[in-house]
């Protein structure tokens, strides 16, 4: 039993190490656990939009912190040990939209999970990785045939397009 517990612990550490390594290779910051005072969070009236990038989005909240507007994305469900890459990109996109809309670059964005908040630094590397993702999405948009990603089998199982998708798992 002890060996099994040790084996599971070693596998968990290896998986965490591997995901951190992949994230660093992609230029994504991991996210810092922070305490935030939700009373300072203000609602966002309308979606932010950048014509040049064709990008729009509405963070759940904006926090005014010493002259900086910090976007906040609220997530429900299980609290991960570190923010998911898709959530990091989402909050990075809000940072970019805040900068384009208000002319001030946020130093970071916040992801609020039920049990923990993470600050994701909006670094030039993260911005470049985001712009590359957006460019790739635009390229894929022009293509007739785009292979589906099956990285997350559970998402595929609960996908609303299952009835019409010929690539479902
Ligand atoms: S059902 Fe199709 S579209 Fe939906 S997640 Fe699976 S592969 Fe993607």
């Amino acid at each position: 039993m002890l060996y099994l517990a040790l084996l599971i612990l070693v596998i968990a550490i290896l998986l965490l190490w591997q995901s951190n390594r992949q994230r660093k290779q992609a230029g994504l910051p991991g996210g810092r656990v922070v305490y935030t005072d939700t009373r300072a969070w203000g609602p966002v009236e309308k979606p932010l939009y950048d014509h040049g990038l064709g990008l729009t989005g509405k963070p759940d909240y904006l926090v005014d912190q010493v002259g900086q507007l910090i976007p906040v994305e609220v997530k429900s469900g299980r609290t991960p040990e570190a923010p998911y890459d898709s959530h990091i990109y989402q909050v990075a996109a809000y940072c970019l939209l805040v900068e384009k809309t208000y002319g001030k670059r946020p130093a970071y964005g916040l992801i609020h999970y039920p049990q923990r908040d993470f600050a994701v630094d909006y670094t030039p590397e993260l911005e470049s990785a985001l712009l590359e993702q957006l460019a790739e999405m635009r390229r894929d948009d022009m293509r007739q045939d785009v292979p589906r990603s099956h990285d997350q089998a559970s998402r595929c199982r609960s996908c609303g397009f299952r009835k019409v998708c010929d690539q479902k798992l």
Side-chain angles (χ1 to χ4, degrees):
M1 195 65 186
L2 180 65
Y3 287 125
L4 184 62
L6 277 174
L7 183 65
I8 290 171
L9 183 68
V10 169
I11 290 172
I13 291 171
L14 277 175
L15 286 175
L16 189 65
W17 172 77
Q18 191 188 29
S19 82
N20 281 341
R21 202 173 63 129
Q22 285 170 343
R23 178 172 288 135
K24 277 184 189 145
Q25 279 172 351
L28 297 187
R32 295 173 277 119
V33 178
V34 290
Y35 169 77
T36 54
D37 183 355
T38 54
R39 288 170 304 180
W41 295 5
V44 184
E45 300 299 332
K46 53 182 183 159
L48 309 177
Y49 176 65
D50 181 66
H51 179 73
L53 289 167
L55 183 67
T56 186
K58 189 164 173 279
D60 291 308
Y61 298 96
L62 284 176
V63 193
D64 192 343
Q65 278 190 350
V66 211
Q68 274 194 86
L69 282 175
I70 306 295
V72 182
E73 177 62 14
V74 176
K75 294 294 180 194
S76 56
R78 198 175 70 82
T79 300
E81 288 303 314
Y84 297 118
D85 288 358
S86 57
H87 296 174
I88 291 177
Y89 278 121
Q90 190 178 1
V91 88
Y94 292 148
C95 288
L96 187 147
L97 284 169
V98 165
E99 183 177 8
K100 297 278 184 190
T101 307
Y102 299 103
K104 280 188 188 166
R105 183 184 178 89
Y108 61 92
L110 290 170
I111 307 175
H112 174 77
Y113 292 103
Q115 290 164 7
R116 211 170 292 137
D117 291 352
F118 292 96
V120 175
D121 291 328
Y122 185 47
T123 59
E125 292 77 19
L126 178 56
E127 183 182 0
S128 297
L130 170 70
L131 292 173
E132 179 51 39
Q133 282 277 329
L134 292 173
E136 200 176 314
M137 283 164 70
R138 274 195 293 273
R139 283 196 295 272
D140 285 348
D141 230 18
M142 309 295 284
R143 289 169 52 189
Q144 298 285 324
D145 182 29
V146 181
R148 306 288 195 272
S149 162
H150 283 144
D151 286 351
Q152 294 185 19
S154 59
R155 280 197 162 186
C156 193
R157 280 194 291 272
S158 58
C159 175
F161 294 98
R162 284 188 71 80
K163 279 193 182 150
V164 292
C165 179
D166 59 1
Q167 293 186 41
K168 61 180 178 274
L169 290 175

